[in-house]
Each structure stands twice: as C-alpha cells, then as structure tokens.
Amino acid sequence: MTSRVIPVVPFVLVVFGVTGDLARRKLIPAMFQRDVAGQLPGDATILGVSRGPLTEADYIAMARQAVLDHVPEAERSEADIERFVERLRYVSAQADSDAGWDHLAAVLKPFSDRVQVFYLATGPGLFAPICERLGRFGLAGANARVVVEKPIGKDLESARLVNEGVGKVFPEDRVYRIDHYLGKEAVQNLMALRFANGLFEPLWNAAHIDHVQITVAESLGVEGRAGYYDNAGALRDMVQNHILQLLCLVAMEPPARLKADAVRDEKLKVLRALKPVDDALSTHAVVRGQYRAGASAGGAVPGYLDELGADTSTTETFVALKAEIENWRWAGVPFYLRTGKRLAERVSEIVIAFRPIPHSVFDEQAGTIVANRLVIRLQPDEGVKLWLMTKDPGPGGMRLRQVPLDMSFATTFQVRNPDAYERLVLDVVRGDQTLFMRRDEVEAAWTWIDPILKAWSESGELPKPYTAGTWGPSAAIALIERDGRTWLDGGS
Ligand code: BG6
C-alpha cells in the first residue's frame, strides 16, 4: 500500500542553526524524504543560516552527510541526493547582531511571494532576537511563519517572555510551536481511534476507565546533551510538553471539528483542569530519580554524574507522577505518567485500563479475569492493541486467557513510517496549526509544572538513585502499587 502524496505550495524553508543537531538529524533528512516522496514542488528551497563562516559547498557537504547518516540506505539513491542538494542555499548571519542580515534579506527578496518558513533550530534565548530582526529587516510579512522548538522557557515566567518576544513580530496564527510527539503517527491515530469509531467514546470516562498510564521510556542516557539536560531535567524536557500533550489528547472532549483552534481549545481545558500537585515532595504524588551506572542494551553504561562530569546534581533523569483531572469525565481516574532515560527498554505507550467486570460467572478453574486494556504504542513498532479475555482453545473446560486484538501499523499498512518532522514541517507550509501548541497551552502546562519545580528547588533534595537499565527508583513502583495498580512495563 502506498500513502497518498499531495504536493504543497512553493516555499522557502529558512533554518536558523542549520549546523546543529536538530537540523542534521531531523530537518534535513525529513525534507529529503519528502522530496523523494514527490511532495516538494520543483522550486522549493531550503536555506541554511548559521553564524559559522561556511561556504555553500560546505553546507551542501554537511547536508549530504546528514542524509547519508540518517536516511536508511534503501530509501536513498545518489540521484535523489543530487536532486535534493540542488534545493540548498546558505547564508551566514548572526542571531544576536545585525551581521549578515542585509545579505539574508537580499537573498530572500525573490522569495517574497512564496510561503516563507523561518525555523528557529536554536536555543530559546535566540528566539526573540531572531524574530526582532526578521521584523526589522522586512522578513516577517504576511507570507512568513515562524517555527520554534521546545524548550519554550524553563518556567512560566521565562516562557511568557519568549512568547512575548516572538509575539511582538508574529501574530499567533503565524507562530508554530513544535512538539514533535504530536507528529508521531500513533499519536494522530489516537484521534482517529477516538473520533472515527463509535465503539470507544461511550466508554471513555470515569464510569468505565479505571486509570490511564502514559510511559515514555528511553534506554539511552543523556549522550552529548548533558550541558542542556542538566538545566532541564525530565520534568521540563518531557513532561511539560510531550507527556502533557499526550494526556490532553486522551482526555480532551471531542472537538466540534478537527481544526486547529477547536482542538487546542479542548486541550487547554484539560490543562486547566489538572489538579495542582500540592505536595511535590511526597513520593505519593511525584517521584524523581537519577540513574547510576548499570547495564543497558547489553553493555555497561556510566551513571548520569559521570556523563555530566560532576560530583553532584539535583537534576532528575526520571520522573513518575500521578495526575488528576478535575472535571466531570475524569473525576477519580488517575493518570500515571512516567518518563526517564536509561530505563530497561525504549518504549512509549499509552494504556487505557478499563474497569474490571462487576461479577464473574466463571468458576475458579477459569483463572483470573483481567480487566480490558487498550494500548496505544507510539514506539517502537507503533500500533494499537485491545486486550480481551477469551477461552483457551480445546476441550478441558472453560479456561480463560487474555489475548490482544493486535493492529501493528507496520504489518497492517506496510508503508514506511514517516518521521514526525516530515509531517510537521509541511503542515507549517500548509498553514495548519492543529498539531502545534498555542501560546495559552504552553503557559497552562507551565502553570501546572511550576509549583513542582519550585518545591524541588527549595528542598534541595537529591533525586532517588536508580540503576541504569531498570524501570526507575522503587518509589515509582510504590507510587502506583499503593493504589492497588501496577505499571504495565513494555509488551503490554
Ligand atoms: C526530545 C527530548 O524532545 O525528545 C529528548 O529533548 C528526548 O531528551 C526526545 O530524547 C525523545 O524523542 P523520541 O521521538 O526519540 O521519543
């Protein structure tokens, strides 16, 4: 089966910070894949900007290498790469001074009647200065859109400052705050599952759902990003954005239409209904951890402090928490959230755990009747499983077993699973903000997160240690088991 490809309008994508990790690992390979798929119009241009004194030839060599490194061999040919690099241009300009901007403006002049996407793949401290210059150099006209990456601030106050700086130049309907989790195929499928099927919605509430688990577990450590990560930590890096966005998509009311503001209005209501975490220091509500040396993916791995090169750090590489949504639909249904680096495996999934049956008609030999679960797996092997009780085949009485109705997207659709950035960058070109965070959403998420961060920083307590390659500190297991429930680790 092939997926449908609808070409987008002519555009120029201007990537600030083009020599950085994000551009090399994600943006350039994503544009290459879309080019191969035939989705880019002939004259679509990708203009790299960085402070470095690169030549256009250096930039093209770097982009070529990015494609070789990050696009599987079977998905690229030399002819594809040759065609793709024809689209590339480079300009050197400073983000925090006017150096190079006249030249940038001159290079962009012929593109003024096209959609212009300014992708700020830089640190958040540069968002406002770049936007200010885009405005001053006449580059923020009606065809221009700006894309900003997380982290948007490090708390509510700094997020507001970033948003204000960007908002002085670009109106909200031309600001695209990217959360790449929203571009993942399985996440969009969550909306299809909920709103294109009649089956689930009547059950999608506290009367039928016992609890929800959202796990985003990584087996990697902080790798070369310890400098950034030590100022962020798992709560800011993953929960404030990706995990709360997933929670919103599970918990929101059906929007009247799948239009940007209709969806974002509903997500915002969820964020505003989150019960404040009163006691962030009690391990009944929140557990934070930091990995020590251990084993992962079959080999010995160092601890976080070794990777950071420091004797001590209060930064959490793991967090588990119990969130509650104070509204009619979800009252009394805990949402257990957890994420961490160097966990036992790389797995991201959402588990909707339904309530147990009210009464069993079977006798003891039938075995335990496990409550139904709907599992939406984001990665790896994306898909949906609905766990049901069935009879074990054959004679010998009624013995029950839980079996999944299993829809793995790879085997069902047999298409390459596109990376989230492929979808999201072209959504910007199309002018579709549905999968991007609106300013009030980002700020509402920080409003919920801030008191937790504050309590942690005031206490000065260290996160609980856990061995790399495990499922985090034992307190995280206690957090859910205290409620008579259990984490469904991987393979659920
Ligand atoms: C990023 C975080 O936003 O998401 C990283 O900054 C994390 O720390 C990454 O590793 C996870 O993304 P994915 O798509 O690999 O699950």
Side-chain angles (χ1 to χ4, degrees), residues 25 86 194 214 217 242 344 406 474:
R25 277 192 315 115
E86 286 290 305
R194 282 194 63 192
I214 303 180
H242 306 323
D406 187 351
S474 53

Side-chain angles (χ1 to χ4, degrees), residues 375-392:
V375 180
I376 299 131
R377 186 178 269 238
L378 277 53
Q379 56 200 24
D381 48 39
E382 308 187 323
V384 177
K385 279 185 194 169
L386 178 61
W387 287 85
L388 302 170
M389 293 305 297
T390 54
K391 178 189 168 298
D392 235 351

Side-chain angles (χ1 to χ4, degrees), residues 305-326:
L305 294 177
D306 297 325
E307 282 182 301
L308 181 65
D311 293 337
T312 181
S313 164
T314 53
T315 301
E316 78 289 355
T317 60
F318 173 95
V319 61
L321 47 87
K322 180 164 133 180
E324 291 170 75
I325 301 171
E326 295 184 306

Side-chain angles (χ1 to χ4, degrees), residues 5 110-111 129 133 150 283 290 314 390 394 425 428 447 456:
V5 169
F111 297 101
R133 289 189 172 79
K150 66 162 260 282
T283 51
Q290 190 185 78
T314 53
T390 54
V425 176
V428 183
T447 302
W456 287 354

